[in-house]
Amino acid sequence: MLFFSFLIIINLLLFLFNKQIAQLINLFDYPDKQRKFHQSNVPLTGGIIVIINTCLVIMFTLFDNQLNTETVFFKTNKDLKIFLISTIIFFFIGFLDDKHNISATKRFLLILILLIPIILLSDNLIINQVRFSFTENTYIIPEYFSIIWTILCFLLFVNAINMFDGINYQVALYFIYLSLFFIFNNYFNVFFISLLIGLICFLNLNHKNKSFLGDSGTYLLAFIFSYFFIKLYNLPTNIKADHIVLFMIIPGIDLMRLFTKRIFNGKNPFTSDRDHIHHILLEKFSLIKTNLIIQSLIIVPSFLGNYLGFTLELLIIQLTIYFYLIQFGS
């Protein structure tokens, strides 16, 4: 309780001095009237809030022997330290992009290169089998391909979330939901409660258009949740690949649709545009209704799939509604 009280105070200070922090490091998102239509410069401080909360809870875990022993995700202090360093690295990749607008191709290659040692050095972070809830069969992934498959899963989710972050509330609400999933299932509660505090702090700023996540926030959060979903999947639990897909398919399918469309039109797949599902829905609905539709499309199927089953049927319904919404808004 003492730690959480301290964390709440830190987040309150981050909330109160949000603009001053952005001015100190000159980190703002500037409107361009093409893709960014906000009226004034907005601090890109969401990632700072998340990384401070992450670092504090990991440091607390490192120095609390009982908590460290109870944390099933990390077998050793070394693994915990690797995770801490990895989160800082992903934050700084996004931070540098927010500051200097690194090309998408360079960002992609940089993330790819950094993921290799992270995956190889971490404990139990390689996906070497695929399990589904609707079959008892376990499909073993060959050792030489398992590393490639794990890297691909990270890359897809990191880039999908980066593209998913296009309107207020959307990514914060999405990760609040994922945090609650881990908390309700009693997985590393102290970490996800700490993350939840940071996300709520950011959401209040985002609601008033006083802060955006920026690439520092999206890369960091996407890495964290990719990491823990793989760790969770590799533990002897009931969660299967199809359960995780229900959580991640909407950002993922939006990424694949846009990549395919851009390549087909002779464009760089990383080119920015306003053809994402949230932009399409915004043409028909308000910001609140757009968020409600997208969050419901993720939350309802994933909740039902994880607790009631029928994941394959729910996935088909989820994708059918997604493509209907794309056609409806076009």
Side-chain angles (χ1 to χ4, degrees):
M1 287 301 296
L2 183 62
F3 170 73
F4 288 125
S5 299
F6 170 72
L7 199 65
I8 290 170
I9 293 171
I10 293 296
N11 279 267
L12 180 60
L13 292 173
L14 291 171
F15 179 86
L16 294 173
F17 294 101
N18 171 68
K19 188 173 182 179
Q20 290 85 342
I21 293 170
Q23 289 172 336
L24 181 65
I25 56 180
N26 189 28
L27 193 62
F28 291 91
D29 191 55
Y30 301 97
D32 58 14
K33 305 305 178 184
Q34 295 177 348
R35 292 190 307 110
K36 304 175 181 182
F37 292 96
H38 42 279
Q39 299 301 310
S40 59
N41 301 339
V42 179
L44 290 169
T45 48
I48 294 171
I49 295 171
V50 175
I51 192 63
I52 288 175
N53 279 265
T54 300
C55 288
L56 286 174
V57 71
I58 294 300
M59 295 300 292
F60 174 72
T61 306
L62 279 168
F63 289 104
D64 188 319
N65 291 328
Q66 182 180 356
L67 179 61
N68 201 359
T69 302
E70 294 172 354
T71 303
V72 294
F73 286 104
F74 301 100
K75 295 180 181 178
T76 62
N77 271 356
K78 174 191 170 186
D79 196 33
L80 188 56
K81 290 173 183 176
I82 291 171
F83 172 69
L84 175 61
I85 294 169
S86 301
T87 57
I88 294 171
I89 288 171
F90 269 82
F91 166 77
F92 273 108
I93 292 173
F95 180 83
L96 290 173
D97 186 42
D98 287 334
K99 288 279 286 185
H100 304 293
N101 195 25
I102 304 170
S103 74
T105 304
K106 289 180 180 178
R107 289 199 312 266
F108 179 85
L109 291 174
L110 181 59
I111 292 171
L112 172 61
I113 292 168
L114 290 170
L115 276 173
I116 295 171
I118 290 170
I119 290 170
L120 291 176
L121 294 173
S122 298
D123 294 331
N124 209 26
L125 197 61
I126 296 175
I127 306 169
N128 50 34
Q129 58 179 258
V130 178
R131 308 184 308 274
F132 298 106
S133 64
F134 47 82
T135 176
E136 294 183 359
N137 294 333
T138 296
Y139 303 94
I140 304 300
I141 302 174
E143 185 176 352
Y144 64 87
F145 186 68
S146 59
I147 296 173
I148 297 172
W149 175 245
T150 306
I151 291 171
L152 181 63
C153 289
F154 269 105
L155 286 173
L156 285 173
F157 192 60
V158 167
N159 283 280
I161 293 303
N162 185 247
M163 293 172 65
F164 196 56
D165 181 31
I167 58 174
N168 283 7
Y169 314 138
Q170 183 165 270
V171 171
L173 288 172
Y174 176 62
F175 283 119
I176 284 173
Y177 170 59
L178 294 188
S179 298
L180 289 172
F181 166 78
F182 280 93
I183 293 167
F184 290 153
N185 285 279
N186 198 31
Y187 298 126
F188 201 4
N189 280 358
V190 66
F191 178 86
F192 288 103
I193 292 172
S194 301
L195 199 57
L196 189 62
I197 291 170
L199 287 168
I200 292 171
C201 172
F202 165 74
L203 191 61
N204 278 279
L205 289 166
N206 190 229
H207 169 66
K208 299 174 182 178
N209 231 30
K210 293 184 177 179
S211 178
F212 290 161
L213 270 175
D215 287 343
S216 62
T218 57
Y219 285 158
L220 173 59
L221 285 166
F223 170 77
I224 287 172
F225 281 92
S226 298
Y227 181 97
F228 280 111
F229 266 115
I230 292 174
K231 285 272 191 176
L232 174 62
Y233 179 75
N234 285 337
L235 289 174
T237 64
N238 290 326
I239 192 164
K240 304 296 192 295
D242 47 308
H243 294 140
I244 297 173
V245 168
L246 285 169
F247 284 108
M248 299 181 171
I249 191 61
I250 297 303
I253 199 68
D254 209 44
L255 167 78
M256 288 186 277
R257 177 182 66 86
L258 289 168
F259 269 30
T260 302
K261 186 174 180 179
R262 290 167 186 171
I263 292 170
F264 183 78
N265 292 330
K267 297 179 180 179
N268 186 321
F270 293 103
T271 303
S272 299
D273 56 35
R274 291 183 63 83
D275 197 28
H276 303 74
I277 184 172
H278 44 268
H279 293 136
I280 291 171
L281 293 179
L282 273 178
E283 297 294 326
K284 302 285 185 178
F285 305 106
S286 68
L287 177 64
I288 298 299
K289 285 184 178 179
T290 296
N291 270 285
L292 181 61
I293 292 168
I294 294 174
Q295 298 302 327
S296 298
L297 189 55
I298 296 169
I299 292 171
V300 175
S302 60
F303 180 84
L304 293 176
N306 275 273
Y307 293 103
L308 299 180
F310 306 104
T311 55
L312 193 57
E313 294 86 348
L314 287 163
L315 179 60
I316 293 170
I317 293 170
Q318 204 176 21
L319 291 175
T320 301
I321 295 173
Y322 168 83
F323 283 108
Y324 169 78
L325 290 172
I326 295 298
Q327 292 301 315
F328 171 76
S330 299

PDB file of all heavy atoms in Angstrom, residues 1 9 71 122 128 130-131 145 155 159 171-172 192 227 239 248 255 304 309 329-330:
ATOM      1  N   MET A   1       0.822  -1.210   0.000  1.00  0.00           N
ATOM      2  CA  MET A   1       0.000   0.000   0.000  1.00  0.00           C
ATOM      3  C   MET A   1       0.854   1.257   0.000  1.00  0.00           C
ATOM      4  O   MET A   1       0.510   2.256  -0.629  1.00  0.00           O
ATOM      5  CB  MET A   1      -0.922  -0.011   1.217  1.00  0.00           C
ATOM      6  CG  MET A   1      -2.066  -0.998   1.103  1.00  0.00           C
ATOM      7  SD  MET A   1      -3.127  -0.685  -0.336  1.00  0.00           S
ATOM      8  CE  MET A   1      -3.778   0.921   0.072  1.00  0.00           C
ATOM      9  N   ILE A   9       1.121   9.601  -5.846  1.00  0.00           N
ATOM     10  CA  ILE A   9       1.682  10.954  -5.678  1.00  0.00           C
ATOM     11  C   ILE A   9       2.543  11.324  -6.880  1.00  0.00           C
ATOM     12  O   ILE A   9       2.449  12.442  -7.412  1.00  0.00           O
ATOM     13  CB  ILE A   9       2.497  11.037  -4.365  1.00  0.00           C
ATOM     14  CG1 ILE A   9       1.570  10.909  -3.161  1.00  0.00           C
ATOM     15  CG2 ILE A   9       3.289  12.352  -4.301  1.00  0.00           C
ATOM     16  CD1 ILE A   9       2.294  10.762  -1.837  1.00  0.00           C
ATOM     17  N   THR A  71       6.730 -13.586  -8.144  1.00  0.00           N
ATOM     18  CA  THR A  71       6.483 -13.185  -9.527  1.00  0.00           C
ATOM     19  C   THR A  71       6.857 -14.320 -10.462  1.00  0.00           C
ATOM     20  O   THR A  71       8.025 -14.546 -10.749  1.00  0.00           O
ATOM     21  CB  THR A  71       7.309 -11.929  -9.877  1.00  0.00           C
ATOM     22  OG1 THR A  71       6.988 -10.901  -8.958  1.00  0.00           O
ATOM     23  CG2 THR A  71       6.996 -11.455 -11.282  1.00  0.00           C
ATOM     24  N   SER A 122      16.333 -13.377 -22.783  1.00  0.00           N
ATOM     25  CA  SER A 122      15.265 -13.496 -21.789  1.00  0.00           C
ATOM     26  C   SER A 122      14.885 -14.957 -21.580  1.00  0.00           C
ATOM     27  O   SER A 122      15.040 -15.791 -22.469  1.00  0.00           O
ATOM     28  CB  SER A 122      14.033 -12.708 -22.246  1.00  0.00           C
ATOM     29  OG  SER A 122      14.321 -11.332 -22.369  1.00  0.00           O
ATOM     30  N   ASN A 128       7.518 -21.697 -28.885  1.00  0.00           N
ATOM     31  CA  ASN A 128       7.956 -22.923 -29.558  1.00  0.00           C
ATOM     32  C   ASN A 128       6.834 -23.932 -29.786  1.00  0.00           C
ATOM     33  O   ASN A 128       7.079 -25.057 -30.228  1.00  0.00           O
ATOM     34  CB  ASN A 128       9.106 -23.584 -28.778  1.00  0.00           C
ATOM     35  CG  ASN A 128       8.781 -23.735 -27.305  1.00  0.00           C
ATOM     36  OD1 ASN A 128       7.628 -23.951 -26.946  1.00  0.00           O
ATOM     37  ND2 ASN A 128       9.792 -23.595 -26.459  1.00  0.00           N
ATOM     38  N   VAL A 130       2.226 -24.097 -30.587  1.00  0.00           N
ATOM     39  CA  VAL A 130       0.940 -23.416 -30.770  1.00  0.00           C
ATOM     40  C   VAL A 130      -0.156 -24.319 -30.231  1.00  0.00           C
ATOM     41  O   VAL A 130      -0.280 -25.480 -30.633  1.00  0.00           O
ATOM     42  CB  VAL A 130       0.687 -23.092 -32.255  1.00  0.00           C
ATOM     43  CG1 VAL A 130      -0.681 -22.416 -32.412  1.00  0.00           C
ATOM     44  CG2 VAL A 130       1.787 -22.201 -32.809  1.00  0.00           C
ATOM     45  N   ARG A 131      -0.944 -23.772 -29.304  1.00  0.00           N
ATOM     46  CA  ARG A 131      -2.049 -24.507 -28.689  1.00  0.00           C
ATOM     47  C   ARG A 131      -3.351 -23.733 -28.904  1.00  0.00           C
ATOM     48  O   ARG A 131      -3.383 -22.515 -28.721  1.00  0.00           O
ATOM     49  CB  ARG A 131      -1.820 -24.701 -27.186  1.00  0.00           C
ATOM     50  CG  ARG A 131      -0.489 -25.310 -26.812  1.00  0.00           C
ATOM     51  CD  ARG A 131      -0.391 -25.566 -25.312  1.00  0.00           C
ATOM     52  NE  ARG A 131      -0.715 -24.375 -24.531  1.00  0.00           N
ATOM     53  CZ  ARG A 131       0.150 -23.414 -24.204  1.00  0.00           C
ATOM     54  NH1 ARG A 131       1.411 -23.497 -24.625  1.00  0.00           N
ATOM     55  NH2 ARG A 131      -0.223 -22.393 -23.468  1.00  0.00           N
ATOM     56  N   PHE A 145      12.730 -21.994 -36.502  1.00  0.00           N
ATOM     57  CA  PHE A 145      11.675 -21.055 -36.905  1.00  0.00           C
ATOM     58  C   PHE A 145      11.016 -20.362 -35.713  1.00  0.00           C
ATOM     59  O   PHE A 145      10.402 -19.316 -35.868  1.00  0.00           O
ATOM     60  CB  PHE A 145      10.613 -21.788 -37.720  1.00  0.00           C
ATOM     61  CG  PHE A 145       9.566 -20.882 -38.292  1.00  0.00           C
ATOM     62  CD1 PHE A 145       9.880 -19.963 -39.297  1.00  0.00           C
ATOM     63  CD2 PHE A 145       8.256 -20.926 -37.824  1.00  0.00           C
ATOM     64  CE1 PHE A 145       8.917 -19.114 -39.820  1.00  0.00           C
ATOM     65  CE2 PHE A 145       7.280 -20.089 -38.343  1.00  0.00           C
ATOM     66  CZ  PHE A 145       7.605 -19.179 -39.341  1.00  0.00           C
ATOM     67  N   LEU A 155       6.928  -7.785 -33.771  1.00  0.00           N
ATOM     68  CA  LEU A 155       6.930  -6.742 -34.797  1.00  0.00           C
ATOM     69  C   LEU A 155       5.511  -6.389 -35.242  1.00  0.00           C
ATOM     70  O   LEU A 155       5.173  -5.205 -35.406  1.00  0.00           O
ATOM     71  CB  LEU A 155       7.750  -7.192 -36.008  1.00  0.00           C
ATOM     72  CG  LEU A 155       9.264  -7.199 -35.845  1.00  0.00           C
ATOM     73  CD1 LEU A 155       9.923  -7.841 -37.063  1.00  0.00           C
ATOM     74  CD2 LEU A 155       9.806  -5.789 -35.647  1.00  0.00           C
ATOM     75  N   ASN A 159       3.961  -2.614 -34.416  1.00  0.00           N
ATOM     76  CA  ASN A 159       3.569  -1.752 -35.536  1.00  0.00           C
ATOM     77  C   ASN A 159       2.057  -1.562 -35.609  1.00  0.00           C
ATOM     78  O   ASN A 159       1.580  -0.484 -35.982  1.00  0.00           O
ATOM     79  CB  ASN A 159       4.101  -2.332 -36.855  1.00  0.00           C
ATOM     80  CG  ASN A 159       5.585  -2.073 -37.028  1.00  0.00           C
ATOM     81  OD1 ASN A 159       6.000  -0.994 -37.420  1.00  0.00           O
ATOM     82  ND2 ASN A 159       6.401  -3.071 -36.717  1.00  0.00           N
ATOM     83  N   VAL A 171      -6.108   4.022 -27.601  1.00  0.00           N
ATOM     84  CA  VAL A 171      -5.039   3.119 -27.158  1.00  0.00           C
ATOM     85  C   VAL A 171      -5.010   3.011 -25.635  1.00  0.00           C
ATOM     86  O   VAL A 171      -4.796   1.920 -25.093  1.00  0.00           O
ATOM     87  CB  VAL A 171      -3.674   3.584 -27.710  1.00  0.00           C
ATOM     88  CG1 VAL A 171      -2.539   2.794 -27.075  1.00  0.00           C
ATOM     89  CG2 VAL A 171      -3.632   3.398 -29.221  1.00  0.00           C
ATOM     90  N   ALA A 172      -5.247   4.114 -24.936  1.00  0.00           N
ATOM     91  CA  ALA A 172      -5.258   4.074 -23.473  1.00  0.00           C
ATOM     92  C   ALA A 172      -6.352   3.141 -22.963  1.00  0.00           C
ATOM     93  O   ALA A 172      -6.111   2.316 -22.067  1.00  0.00           O
ATOM     94  CB  ALA A 172      -5.444   5.480 -22.914  1.00  0.00           C
ATOM     95  N   PHE A 192       0.749  -4.555 -13.034  1.00  0.00           N
ATOM     96  CA  PHE A 192      -0.356  -4.085 -13.869  1.00  0.00           C
ATOM     97  C   PHE A 192      -1.230  -3.057 -13.149  1.00  0.00           C
ATOM     98  O   PHE A 192      -1.830  -2.203 -13.796  1.00  0.00           O
ATOM     99  CB  PHE A 192      -1.170  -5.275 -14.379  1.00  0.00           C
ATOM    100  CG  PHE A 192      -0.437  -6.053 -15.426  1.00  0.00           C
ATOM    101  CD1 PHE A 192       0.170  -7.270 -15.123  1.00  0.00           C
ATOM    102  CD2 PHE A 192      -0.288  -5.559 -16.712  1.00  0.00           C
ATOM    103  CE1 PHE A 192       0.872  -7.976 -16.077  1.00  0.00           C
ATOM    104  CE2 PHE A 192       0.422  -6.250 -17.677  1.00  0.00           C
ATOM    105  CZ  PHE A 192       1.007  -7.459 -17.366  1.00  0.00           C
ATOM    106  N   TYR A 227       5.313  -8.858 -24.591  1.00  0.00           N
ATOM    107  CA  TYR A 227       6.207  -9.587 -23.698  1.00  0.00           C
ATOM    108  C   TYR A 227       5.412 -10.437 -22.705  1.00  0.00           C
ATOM    109  O   TYR A 227       5.637 -11.646 -22.568  1.00  0.00           O
ATOM    110  CB  TYR A 227       7.093  -8.582 -22.961  1.00  0.00           C
ATOM    111  CG  TYR A 227       8.099  -9.170 -22.011  1.00  0.00           C
ATOM    112  CD1 TYR A 227       9.418  -9.377 -22.405  1.00  0.00           C
ATOM    113  CD2 TYR A 227       7.752  -9.487 -20.698  1.00  0.00           C
ATOM    114  CE1 TYR A 227      10.355  -9.896 -21.519  1.00  0.00           C
ATOM    115  CE2 TYR A 227       8.673 -10.021 -19.811  1.00  0.00           C
ATOM    116  CZ  TYR A 227       9.971 -10.216 -20.232  1.00  0.00           C
ATOM    117  OH  TYR A 227      10.898 -10.740 -19.359  1.00  0.00           O
ATOM    118  N   ILE A 239      -4.634 -20.316 -20.934  1.00  0.00           N
ATOM    119  CA  ILE A 239      -4.728 -19.385 -22.063  1.00  0.00           C
ATOM    120  C   ILE A 239      -4.079 -20.012 -23.300  1.00  0.00           C
ATOM    121  O   ILE A 239      -2.990 -20.584 -23.240  1.00  0.00           O
ATOM    122  CB  ILE A 239      -4.088 -18.026 -21.728  1.00  0.00           C
ATOM    123  CG1 ILE A 239      -4.476 -17.006 -22.792  1.00  0.00           C
ATOM    124  CG2 ILE A 239      -2.575 -18.126 -21.598  1.00  0.00           C
ATOM    125  CD1 ILE A 239      -4.244 -15.575 -22.386  1.00  0.00           C
ATOM    126  N   MET A 248      -6.043  -9.193 -29.822  1.00  0.00           N
ATOM    127  CA  MET A 248      -5.128  -8.432 -30.678  1.00  0.00           C
ATOM    128  C   MET A 248      -5.537  -8.337 -32.142  1.00  0.00           C
ATOM    129  O   MET A 248      -4.902  -7.615 -32.913  1.00  0.00           O
ATOM    130  CB  MET A 248      -3.728  -9.067 -30.604  1.00  0.00           C
ATOM    131  CG  MET A 248      -3.121  -9.059 -29.219  1.00  0.00           C
ATOM    132  SD  MET A 248      -1.458  -9.789 -29.214  1.00  0.00           S
ATOM    133  CE  MET A 248      -0.915  -9.384 -27.558  1.00  0.00           C
ATOM    134  N   LEU A 255      -3.797  -3.283 -39.462  1.00  0.00           N
ATOM    135  CA  LEU A 255      -2.434  -3.167 -39.986  1.00  0.00           C
ATOM    136  C   LEU A 255      -2.298  -3.926 -41.307  1.00  0.00           C
ATOM    137  O   LEU A 255      -1.801  -3.378 -42.298  1.00  0.00           O
ATOM    138  CB  LEU A 255      -1.437  -3.712 -38.966  1.00  0.00           C
ATOM    139  CG  LEU A 255       0.001  -3.952 -39.462  1.00  0.00           C
ATOM    140  CD1 LEU A 255       0.764  -2.631 -39.536  1.00  0.00           C
ATOM    141  CD2 LEU A 255       0.744  -4.932 -38.563  1.00  0.00           C
ATOM    142  N   LEU A 304     -15.824 -12.930 -23.812  1.00  0.00           N
ATOM    143  CA  LEU A 304     -16.624 -14.152 -23.977  1.00  0.00           C
ATOM    144  C   LEU A 304     -15.758 -15.343 -24.355  1.00  0.00           C
ATOM    145  O   LEU A 304     -15.954 -16.456 -23.847  1.00  0.00           O
ATOM    146  CB  LEU A 304     -17.692 -13.925 -25.051  1.00  0.00           C
ATOM    147  CG  LEU A 304     -18.793 -12.914 -24.718  1.00  0.00           C
ATOM    148  CD1 LEU A 304     -19.714 -12.733 -25.912  1.00  0.00           C
ATOM    149  CD2 LEU A 304     -19.579 -13.330 -23.487  1.00  0.00           C
ATOM    150  N   GLY A 309     -15.576 -19.728 -24.054  1.00  0.00           N
ATOM    151  CA  GLY A 309     -15.162 -20.546 -25.185  1.00  0.00           C
ATOM    152  C   GLY A 309     -15.715 -20.017 -26.491  1.00  0.00           C
ATOM    153  O   GLY A 309     -15.961 -18.819 -26.633  1.00  0.00           O
ATOM    154  N   GLY A 329     -18.385   2.553 -43.588  1.00  0.00           N
ATOM    155  CA  GLY A 329     -17.829   3.901 -43.471  1.00  0.00           C
ATOM    156  C   GLY A 329     -17.227   4.424 -44.763  1.00  0.00           C
ATOM    157  O   GLY A 329     -16.956   5.623 -44.892  1.00  0.00           O
ATOM    158  N   SER A 330     -16.997   3.555 -45.727  1.00  0.00           N
ATOM    159  CA  SER A 330     -16.335   3.968 -46.977  1.00  0.00           C
ATOM    160  C   SER A 330     -17.314   4.679 -47.923  1.00  0.00           C
ATOM    161  O   SER A 330     -18.504   4.429 -47.894  1.00  0.00           O
ATOM    162  CB  SER A 330     -15.750   2.750 -47.676  1.00  0.00           C
ATOM    163  OG  SER A 330     -14.795   2.127 -46.855  1.00  0.00           O
TER     164      SER A 330
END
